PDB file of all heavy atoms in Angstrom:
ATOM      1  N   ALA R1173     -17.751  79.611 -15.588  1.00 97.00           N
ATOM      2  CA  ALA R1173     -17.871  80.950 -15.006  1.00 97.00           C
ATOM      3  C   ALA R1173     -16.510  81.633 -14.951  1.00 97.00           C
ATOM      4  O   ALA R1173     -16.387  82.828 -15.258  1.00 97.00           O
ATOM      5  CB  ALA R1173     -18.486  80.875 -13.609  1.00 97.00           C
ATOM      6  N   HIS R1174     -15.480  80.891 -14.588  1.00 97.00           N
ATOM      7  CA  HIS R1174     -14.118  81.459 -14.565  1.00 97.00           C
ATOM      8  C   HIS R1174     -13.670  81.852 -15.969  1.00 97.00           C
ATOM      9  O   HIS R1174     -13.144  82.946 -16.169  1.00 97.00           O
ATOM     10  CB  HIS R1174     -13.127  80.450 -13.954  1.00 97.00           C
ATOM     11  CG  HIS R1174     -13.044  80.510 -12.474  1.00 97.00           C
ATOM     12  ND1 HIS R1174     -12.056  81.198 -11.809  1.00 97.00           N
ATOM     13  CD2 HIS R1174     -13.831  79.964 -11.514  1.00 97.00           C
ATOM     14  CE1 HIS R1174     -12.233  81.076 -10.498  1.00 97.00           C
ATOM     15  NE2 HIS R1174     -13.304  80.327 -10.294  1.00 97.00           N
ATOM     16  N   GLU R1175     -13.878  80.951 -16.926  1.00 96.00           N
ATOM     17  CA  GLU R1175     -13.436  81.243 -18.293  1.00 96.00           C
ATOM     18  C   GLU R1175     -14.173  82.449 -18.865  1.00 96.00           C
ATOM     19  O   GLU R1175     -13.566  83.310 -19.512  1.00 96.00           O
ATOM     20  CB  GLU R1175     -13.583  80.008 -19.167  1.00 96.00           C
ATOM     21  CG  GLU R1175     -12.553  78.956 -18.788  1.00 96.00           C
ATOM     22  CD  GLU R1175     -12.647  77.680 -19.588  1.00 96.00           C
ATOM     23  OE1 GLU R1175     -13.606  77.497 -20.376  1.00 96.00           O
ATOM     24  OE2 GLU R1175     -11.757  76.827 -19.403  1.00 96.00           O
ATOM     25  N   ALA R1176     -15.468  82.556 -18.609  1.00 96.00           N
ATOM     26  CA  ALA R1176     -16.235  83.705 -19.092  1.00 96.00           C
ATOM     27  C   ALA R1176     -15.774  84.995 -18.414  1.00 96.00           C
ATOM     28  O   ALA R1176     -15.649  86.035 -19.058  1.00 96.00           O
ATOM     29  CB  ALA R1176     -17.730  83.486 -18.851  1.00 96.00           C
ATOM     30  N   ALA R1177     -15.519  84.928 -17.117  1.00 96.00           N
ATOM     31  CA  ALA R1177     -15.076  86.127 -16.384  1.00 96.00           C
ATOM     32  C   ALA R1177     -13.710  86.588 -16.864  1.00 96.00           C
ATOM     33  O   ALA R1177     -13.490  87.786 -17.071  1.00 96.00           O
ATOM     34  CB  ALA R1177     -15.053  85.843 -14.886  1.00 96.00           C
ATOM     35  N   VAL R1178     -12.787  85.660 -17.060  1.00 95.00           N
ATOM     36  CA  VAL R1178     -11.456  86.019 -17.550  1.00 95.00           C
ATOM     37  C   VAL R1178     -11.562  86.598 -18.955  1.00 95.00           C
ATOM     38  O   VAL R1178     -10.945  87.612 -19.266  1.00 95.00           O
ATOM     39  CB  VAL R1178     -10.505  84.792 -17.526  1.00 95.00           C
ATOM     40  CG1 VAL R1178      -9.242  85.063 -18.325  1.00 95.00           C
ATOM     41  CG2 VAL R1178     -10.156  84.431 -16.091  1.00 95.00           C
ATOM     42  N   GLY R1179     -12.379  85.970 -19.788  1.00 91.00           N
ATOM     43  CA  GLY R1179     -12.544  86.459 -21.162  1.00 91.00           C
ATOM     44  C   GLY R1179     -13.161  87.842 -21.231  1.00 91.00           C
ATOM     45  O   GLY R1179     -12.718  88.696 -21.996  1.00 91.00           O
ATOM     46  N   SER R1180     -14.166  88.111 -20.404  1.00 87.00           N
ATOM     47  CA  SER R1180     -14.828  89.419 -20.466  1.00 87.00           C
ATOM     48  C   SER R1180     -14.045  90.509 -19.756  1.00 87.00           C
ATOM     49  O   SER R1180     -14.222  91.680 -20.043  1.00 87.00           O
ATOM     50  CB  SER R1180     -16.244  89.336 -19.888  1.00 87.00           C
ATOM     51  OG  SER R1180     -16.194  89.112 -18.502  1.00 87.00           O
ATOM     52  N   ALA R1181     -13.146  90.106 -18.854  1.00 75.00           N
ATOM     53  CA  ALA R1181     -12.351  91.100 -18.116  1.00 75.00           C
ATOM     54  C   ALA R1181     -11.134  91.538 -18.904  1.00 75.00           C
ATOM     55  O   ALA R1181     -10.453  92.463 -18.488  1.00 75.00           O
ATOM     56  CB  ALA R1181     -11.919  90.532 -16.770  1.00 75.00           C
ATOM     57  N   GLY R1182     -10.864  90.866 -20.015  1.00 62.00           N
ATOM     58  CA  GLY R1182      -9.671  91.223 -20.773  1.00 62.00           C
ATOM     59  C   GLY R1182      -8.410  90.935 -19.973  1.00 62.00           C
ATOM     60  O   GLY R1182      -7.417  91.622 -20.099  1.00 62.00           O
ATOM     61  N   SER R1183      -8.505  89.915 -19.102  1.00 45.00           N
ATOM     62  CA  SER R1183      -7.369  89.492 -18.289  1.00 45.00           C
ATOM     63  C   SER R1183      -6.840  90.595 -17.395  1.00 45.00           C
ATOM     64  O   SER R1183      -5.673  90.933 -17.415  1.00 45.00           O
ATOM     65  CB  SER R1183      -6.244  88.944 -19.168  1.00 45.00           C
ATOM     66  OG  SER R1183      -6.673  87.810 -19.836  1.00 45.00           O
ATOM     67  N   VAL R1184      -7.713  91.170 -16.618  1.00 44.00           N
ATOM     68  CA  VAL R1184      -7.300  92.171 -15.650  1.00 44.00           C
ATOM     69  C   VAL R1184      -6.340  91.510 -14.677  1.00 44.00           C
ATOM     70  O   VAL R1184      -6.574  90.408 -14.210  1.00 44.00           O
ATOM     71  CB  VAL R1184      -8.533  92.732 -14.902  1.00 44.00           C
ATOM     72  CG1 VAL R1184      -8.099  93.673 -13.799  1.00 44.00           C
ATOM     73  CG2 VAL R1184      -9.442  93.451 -15.874  1.00 44.00           C
TER      74      VAL R1184
END
Side-chain angles (χ1 to χ4, degrees):
H1174 274 262
E1175 289 179 352
V1178 167
S1180 68
S1183 297
V1184 174

